Amino acid sequence: EAEVAQSPRYKITEKSQAVAFWCDPISGHATLYWYRQILGQGPELLVQFQDESVVDDSQLPKDRFSAERLKGVDSTLKIQPAELGDSAMYLCASSLGSMLDEQYFGPGTRLTVT
Amino acid sequence: GDSVTQMEGPVTLSEEAFLTINCTYTATGYPSLFWYVQYPGEGLQLLLKATKADDKGSNKGFEATYRKETTSFHLEKGSVQVSDSAVYFCALIWAGNMLTFGGGTRLMVKP
């Protein structure tokens, strides 16, 4: 069964350092999402791609976060510089097309900023 | 804006007990409603969904009915198992808006 792949699974970094997460969606899925899940809370959307284009990045802290999906397939989310408050689980999800299609989630990257 | 409110956990039950996890929502339109489940160390999985009022979603013995009059989508299961221990998220989406999640409810089932 096809799955969304994410790496690394765990990342510990010091504040002010740069960190990057990678996501490979299910093959053929045009829409890719990055979510942040703070411990004890539900996921919150950071950015949504349709193919290689950003559809919604209204919740992305653009002063330190960036995301790209250059060839419309895999995607990278970067934080520079990391802050203590960025400690969270970063989830990637993909779907066939519209927001109403089922979203398939990867296992996430747990980030700890020290 | 749109929002989802779930009962706080953890919910601790004995095996074979009846489960209810309450979920209510606020939305400006008529959203589609979802329950997702997150097992330890894994990503979220769609458990069930309902797209219009009075629809009942069901999967793996879990059920939830879309109640427009009470703006609710409570999750139920008649007999829980230890393997059902997980965090459950209620969520909604409508029109072109984003998928909005509740805070999650942790379920612990003891043998």
Side-chain angles (χ1 to χ4, degrees):
Chain A
E1 183 177 316
E3 296 179 341
V4 176
Q6 289 189 249
S7 66
R9 293 292 306 274
Y10 304 91
K11 180 70 177 179
I12 300 174
T13 191
E14 295 181 348
K15 68 178 182 178
S16 79
Q17 295 298 304
V19 64
F21 315 128
W22 177 79
C23 171
D24 191 13
I26 292 172
S27 178
H29 280 195
T31 308
L32 185 146
Y33 312 82
W34 283 102
Y35 290 86
R36 178 170 58 187
Q37 184 181 16
I38 295 170
L39 189 63
Q41 298 182 20
E44 295 182 322
L45 182 69
L46 291 174
V47 62
Q48 176 189 346
F49 289 91
Q50 183 74 22
D51 299 311
E52 67 275 9
S53 301
V54 173
V55 173
D56 184 351
D57 63 356
S58 58
Q59 304 301 312
L60 189 71
K62 298 181 190 62
D63 57 335
R64 297 184 300 107
F65 285 65
S66 63
E68 60 183 18
R69 193 184 184 198
L70 292 176
K71 297 183 179 179
V73 181
D74 58 337
S75 176
T76 302
L77 178 69
K78 297 179 181 177
I79 308 175
Q80 182 174 17
E83 296 181 352
L84 295 177
D86 296 332
S87 295
M89 177 78 85
Y90 291 83
L91 297 168
C92 180
S94 69
S95 68
L96 277 172
S98 76
M99 287 285 281
L100 295 178
D101 291 323
E102 179 178 347
Q103 295 185 27
Y104 294 83
F105 285 80
T109 296
R110 180 165 296 284
L111 172 67
T112 302
V113 182
T114 61
Chain B
D2 300 343
S3 67
V4 177
T5 303
Q6 295 180 232
M7 61 188 291
E8 289 195 18
V11 174
T12 303
L13 296 173
S14 297
E15 207 164 22
E16 299 184 3
F18 185 85
L19 169 70
T20 299
I21 299 178
N22 290 338
C23 170
T24 57
Y25 67 89
T26 303
T28 51
Y30 298 99
S32 294
L33 301 173
F34 306 85
W35 277 101
Y36 281 83
V37 59
Q38 187 173 32
Y39 298 103
E42 299 183 14
L44 278 74
Q45 301 174 26
L46 179 63
L47 181 59
L48 54 85
K49 67 179 181 182
T51 58
K52 61 182 187 297
D54 299 324
D55 269 2
K56 178 185 284 188
S58 62
N59 186 25
K60 299 181 181 179
F62 291 89
E63 294 182 341
T65 301
Y66 188 143
R67 302 288 188 197
K68 188 176 71 172
E69 63 275 13
T70 54
T71 62
S72 65
F73 193 54
H74 304 321
L75 182 68
E76 297 181 336
K77 187 175 185 182
S79 176
V80 294
Q81 306 300 312
V82 173
S83 57
D84 294 326
S85 298
V87 181
Y88 292 81
F89 292 93
C90 186
L92 68 80
I93 193 168
W94 78 280
N97 294 331
M98 67 182 73
L99 189 59
T100 300
F101 289 89
T105 303
R106 180 174 298 278
L107 170 65
M108 300 194 317
V109 181
K110 297 185 175 180

